[in-house]
Amino acid sequence: MYMSMLQPCLSGSSPSFPFKRTVLVCCAPSQQSHVALVNGPVLDARVPDRTEIRFGLPSKGRMASDTLDLLKDCQLSVKQVNPRQYVAQIPQLANLEVWFQRPKDIVRKLVSGDLDLGIVGFDTVSEYGQGNEDLILVHDALEYGDCHLSLAIPKYGIFENINSLKELAQMPQWTAEKPLRVATGFTYFWPYPSAQLGPKFMKENRLKYVTFSTADGALEAAPAMGIADAILDLVSSGTTLKENNLKEIEGGIVLESQAVLVASRKALIQRKGALNKTHEILERLEAHLRAVGQFTVTANMRGSSAEEVAERILSQPSLSGLQGPTVSPVFRKRDGKVASDYFAIVICVPKKALYKSVQQLRAVGGSGVLVSPLTYIFDEETPRWRELLRKLGL
């Protein structure tokens, strides 16, 4: 038994609504069909001959503005002479061009070799990358653009008491003659066998009889119109689902997504300067993201020695810092002599523990407490850089 896919109906034979249908059924093995691909993955082992490094960024929407804000926070401001132009520069990165593109085109052009690096949502990489081995995730969690690809069903009718994927799969209604109809705006599912994310998810969760339909309009209306039983769509807050009497169910998330930095493996290995530029971008991103929500707390504390002061600091659970407190003598002149009976304490604490840390610092003798937000935390070596080199075999 296996999942097979029938090609979408031609417009002349399709039902009178704006959905193309693709049917998934369990059937006996048959001869594998061959599908001709247009604009499919480019498998050329060479990179296009050019000297500049191309960095693709989203051209419109919230993802575009959030990406520019993140780069600005990393001291990598994008300079665009004309907002209508699709090409820009990052002055700190010589010989690098920024190309503003639609997210799906960024992925496609990474695969074709027309771009070397890009920032898009992981869902876009999954949908349009089609599992291409040349695509490599450089940073998998840029901490914005969060959403998830999720199955949603109506709150009413036969689904009123269905709250999990397991319960959905156990419903007796789904048969070969009457499969579960799922409307989706995503095309993960065809024609690439290796990229059949939805069918694979359904099969793994024992949903044997499923029909996927692609929709041009608002997916949320499909169940109410009787066109589909469920929808598979990207969800951020879930507000739109609730407003249309739909609900997510336990175990129904197919894919978690957020913004990622992705690159062409061939470009990183073959294009001069691409790997070094990627290293710098990655280090800046990592340093900034690690510092988000972290604060430097500085205080003075009287003590007989640095060790004695450190002992008092470490007796408090919120004062350990990243690797431990920094304790250094504070020198002052007293009675004509230089003395150091005070010590300066510097620790790094997360925002959620800030006030508690200040209280604990005072409790062990800290005074003159100063607090300032951190901008960057640079590691000795970025862990994701080591992982990237490993993936590249370098």
Side-chain angles (χ1 to χ4, degrees), residues 31-44:
Q31 186 175 0
Q32 185 176 2
S33 62
H34 298 278
V35 181
L37 305 184
V38 179
N39 294 327
V42 176
L43 302 178
D44 194 342

Side-chain angles (χ1 to χ4, degrees), residues 272-324:
K272 183 179 179 181
L275 191 58
N276 288 337
K277 287 290 187 294
T278 301
H279 187 198
E280 181 173 350
I281 293 170
L282 179 59
E283 279 214 309
R284 287 174 180 260
L285 289 171
E286 287 273 72
H288 170 67
L289 292 173
R290 192 176 181 204
V292 171
Q294 297 284 340
F295 287 80
T296 299
V297 178
T298 306
N300 288 336
M301 186 179 295
R302 187 185 292 273
S304 58
S305 68
E307 289 77 10
E308 183 266 330
V309 170
E311 188 71 32
R312 276 189 280 159
I313 293 290
L314 292 173
S315 69
Q316 302 298 314
S318 295
L319 302 181
S320 58
L322 294 176
Q323 296 175 322

Side-chain angles (χ1 to χ4, degrees), residues 111-177:
V111 171
S112 69
D114 295 309
L115 292 174
D116 305 311
L117 295 163
I119 291 179
V120 292
F122 181 67
D123 60 294
T124 307
V125 177
S126 299
E127 182 175 7
Y128 296 97
Q130 307 293 356
N132 190 288
E133 293 184 356
D134 187 54
L135 293 177
I136 187 167
L137 286 182
V138 179
H139 198 300
D140 60 352
L142 295 180
E143 298 183 11
Y144 67 96
D146 297 75
C147 60
H148 54 273
L149 184 65
S150 182
L151 192 68
I153 59 176
K155 296 179 180 179
Y156 49 84
I158 62 172
F159 300 103
E160 184 175 0
N161 297 316
I162 302 300
N163 296 300
S164 70
L165 191 63
K166 182 178 180 180
E167 292 172 349
L168 181 66
Q170 291 174 346
M171 292 178 69
Q173 283 88 343
W174 319 131
T175 64
E177 293 73 26

Side-chain angles (χ1 to χ4, degrees), residues 27-146:
C27 57
S30 61
Q31 186 175 0
Q32 185 176 2
S33 62
H34 298 278
V35 181
L37 305 184
V38 179
N39 294 327
V42 176
L43 302 178
D44 194 342
R46 301 165 297 171
V47 295
D49 187 18
R50 53 181 162 79
T51 57
E52 71 280 356
I53 298 158
R54 291 180 178 173
F55 189 13
L57 300 182
S59 56
K60 295 179 181 178
R62 180 69 179 272
M63 180 70 81
S65 59
D66 286 353
T67 299
L68 293 178
D69 288 343
L70 174 62
L71 292 174
K72 183 178 180 180
D73 289 340
C74 297
Q75 302 298 310
L76 293 174
S77 294
V78 177
K79 302 299 181 184
Q80 197 174 9
V81 177
N82 186 330
R84 294 182 178 274
Q85 290 181 332
Y86 287 96
V87 185
Q89 307 292 328
I90 298 178
Q92 290 80 4
L93 299 175
N95 199 40
L96 181 140
E97 293 179 345
V98 170
W99 284 77
F100 292 103
Q101 301 283 298
R102 295 183 300 177
K104 64 182 180 181
D105 290 334
I106 291 175
V107 177
R108 287 169 172 167
K109 289 176 181 179
L110 283 168
V111 171
S112 69
D114 295 309
L115 292 174
D116 305 311
L117 295 163
I119 291 179
V120 292
F122 181 67
D123 60 294
T124 307
V125 177
S126 299
E127 182 175 7
Y128 296 97
Q130 307 293 356
N132 190 288
E133 293 184 356
D134 187 54
L135 293 177
I136 187 167
L137 286 182
V138 179
H139 198 300
D140 60 352
L142 295 180
E143 298 183 11
Y144 67 96
D146 297 75

Side-chain angles (χ1 to χ4, degrees), residues 42 44-47 111 134 264-271:
V42 176
D44 194 342
R46 301 165 297 171
V47 295
V111 171
D134 187 54
S264 160
R265 185 187 300 268
K266 293 193 299 286
L268 294 183
I269 295 174
Q270 298 178 28
R271 191 173 306 289

